[in-house]
Amino acid sequence: MQTAGALRRGLGLNRRQFLAATTGLTAAAAVAGVGPLASAAQAAGNGSNGVLVPPGKRGIILYTVRDAISRDPRSTSLPSGFRPVLEELSRIGYKQVEFAGYSQHANSEGGANLETVEGARLLRGWLDDNGLEAEGNHGFIPGSWPLTPADLDRFKLHLEIANILGFGHVGTGNDPTGSAYKADWDLAADKWNQLGLIASAAGLKLYTHNHDVAYSFLLDSGPLNAQGRPTRSSGIRRLEYFLQITDPENVWLEMDIFWAHVAQFRYRTFTAPDGSVQESIFNPLGVVQAQTTRFPLFHAKDGKYNPATGNGYDMVPFGTGDIDYTAFFSQMGAKGYHNPMYEQDNAPGNAANPGQSLQYSALSYTNMAALRG
């Protein structure tokens, strides 16, 4: 019998690529009538018991602790710069990280800019020393289309850095386009399909990320405005359309679950081609269930429901809000496939509490580890 190691070598895959290729590749079918805010009791009834986020899958995006990474280590005894912060996150218990660029304070070990091959090797050593795996980066995606030679070279440098760091994925923290119009999403899909081919050739999965507006309704029909743009919608949401027209073998998504729930709160109606107003409630969990392996990463960002705000939620440490992560993680399918990264945009504290982002990271790790189905 051929061993797993022999099979992996025969396929030309590294260990991370082999595990990704052989874990949870069967997408779950959409479950009718299951909402993203289903109760934990309902989630427990699906037969998925035990730990929902295994120890090796508990991650954090370093944007959450950007204040600690960017502060001057000579000004404080708190962890500052990449190396001490990675050490602290490992001590807390995290096993995965997602980068948000490669810059730190100039007085930190290695200097200010680690967006180089040499900087990547330094970072990889610190990751390995602390038992951490890096899964991706919110980094450079070319804005030009068609690609300029300079943009292509920089993109390829980012792929080289990603492979040095051991990523399985490479991506961005931005939506593919901020436009509401179908024609612009068609252009974005053309670009992402091409970039995805380049990333796949380097052994990486290219992913985009959502904010709430990416799940608002696409303007694709109805009367045209003075600029010749459509003014009404067929009811499809922007990023769902993007999923339909991009290659599932080369383009993936990282759902920010908080912003998806903000979209559920904000974008509930659209104006149909006939001028009528139609209601359509967004279901983040249902979108994932329908093609769960298109979402290899998540931002596990929590929110406390507050309809008095424009977003409907206040951002809080993971496990202290009202987004039902027990239901989400137990019902999304492809158990063991996904990589949830704790994120909290407002985690950094002020001068009175400079350690807040790492304190919130510890609290959020504890709550993520406690999730049971």
Side-chain angles (χ1 to χ4, degrees):
M1 176 182 291
Q2 191 175 29
T3 67
L7 177 59
R8 170 171 59 83
R9 291 189 292 272
L11 292 172
L13 302 175
N14 62 36
R15 181 176 180 274
R16 182 192 294 274
Q17 291 167 333
F18 180 75
L19 289 173
T22 56
T23 303
L25 292 183
T26 302
V31 179
V34 176
L37 301 179
S39 70
Q42 290 172 318
N46 70 358
S48 175
N49 296 312
V51 175
L52 289 178
V53 184
K57 292 286 188 177
R58 296 169 193 162
I60 180 172
I61 180 169
L62 298 180
Y63 183 74
T64 301
V65 292
R66 63 194 180 276
D67 60 324
I69 290 170
S70 64
R71 66 187 162 214
D72 187 347
R74 300 179 185 179
S75 67
T76 178
S77 61
L78 294 169
S80 306
F82 276 116
R83 185 174 188 173
V85 169
L86 292 173
E87 290 172 352
E88 178 63 13
L89 294 175
S90 175
R91 186 197 66 77
I92 289 170
Y94 287 102
K95 294 299 182 184
Q96 294 187 345
V97 297
E98 181 182 18
F99 282 84
Y102 305 112
S103 297
Q104 60 178 355
H105 195 278
N107 288 334
S108 297
E109 183 177 354
N113 178 26
L114 298 182
E115 192 180 297
T116 63
V117 169
E118 294 76 15
R121 289 173 179 153
L122 194 61
L123 285 168
R124 178 60 187 267
W126 298 338
L127 291 168
D128 291 346
D129 289 345
N130 290 287
L132 294 169
E133 289 188 355
E135 287 297 330
N137 177 46
H138 281 193
F140 173 72
I141 297 295
S144 62
W145 185 250
L147 293 175
T148 65
D151 273 355
L152 181 58
D153 287 345
R154 188 179 175 196
F155 183 60
K156 288 183 175 179
L157 171 63
H158 272 258
L159 299 181
E160 183 179 2
I161 289 172
N163 276 315
I164 292 170
L165 290 171
F167 291 177
H169 319 83
V170 62
T172 175
N174 297 318
D175 301 320
T177 173
S179 173
Y181 301 109
K182 176 182 178 295
D184 294 326
W185 282 88
D186 288 337
L187 286 175
D190 289 342
K191 179 173 80 172
W192 276 77
N193 279 329
Q194 184 62 38
L195 293 175
L197 278 171
I198 298 169
S200 292
L204 296 159
K205 292 181 176 181
L206 180 71
Y207 67 93
T208 184
H209 177 275
N210 68 276
H211 295 91
D212 60 301
V213 71
Y215 283 116
S216 63
F217 295 100
L218 189 71
L219 295 179
D220 59 358
S221 56
L224 304 182
N225 63 17
Q227 290 74 43
R229 298 280 203 169
T231 58
R232 295 175 185 171
S233 179
S234 63
I236 190 170
R237 296 174 189 270
R238 301 180 192 182
L239 204 50
E240 291 183 272
Y241 177 68
F242 182 78
L243 268 180
Q244 291 179 8
I245 61 174
T246 49
D247 186 346
E249 296 298 318
N250 293 308
V251 179
W252 284 265
L253 281 89
E254 173 184 66
M255 178 180 277
D256 187 305
I257 298 171
F258 172 88
W259 290 118
H261 281 76
V262 171
Q264 182 188 65
F265 176 83
R266 293 187 63 189
Y267 306 112
R268 304 172 70 89
T269 63
F270 64 94
T271 302
D274 64 2
S276 63
V277 176
Q278 302 291 324
E279 184 177 68
S280 176
I281 308 301
F282 183 54
N283 183 347
L285 176 58
V287 169
V288 174
Q289 287 173 323
Q291 41 190 332
T292 187
T293 56
R294 289 295 296 273
F295 296 86
L297 297 102
F298 292 116
H299 275 183
K301 182 187 298 179
D302 211 345
K304 185 171 287 292
Y305 185 64
N306 181 2
T309 69
N311 286 335
Y313 290 88
D314 295 323
M315 209 175 290
V316 296
F318 184 87
T320 67
D322 297 317
I323 295 176
D324 193 341
Y325 276 97
T326 299
F328 201 101
F329 286 156
S330 64
Q331 295 179 12
M332 65 188 175
K335 184 175 176 60
Y337 171 78
H338 305 92
N339 302 282
M341 303 290 166
Y342 157 61
E343 184 182 37
Q344 188 177 342
D345 301 1
N346 59 359
N350 54 27
N353 191 5
Q356 178 174 282
S357 66
L358 286 169
Q359 292 165 6
Y360 281 174
S361 297
L363 171 63
S364 296
Y365 177 86
T366 297
N367 291 337
M368 184 182 289
L371 282 179
R372 296 291 187 275

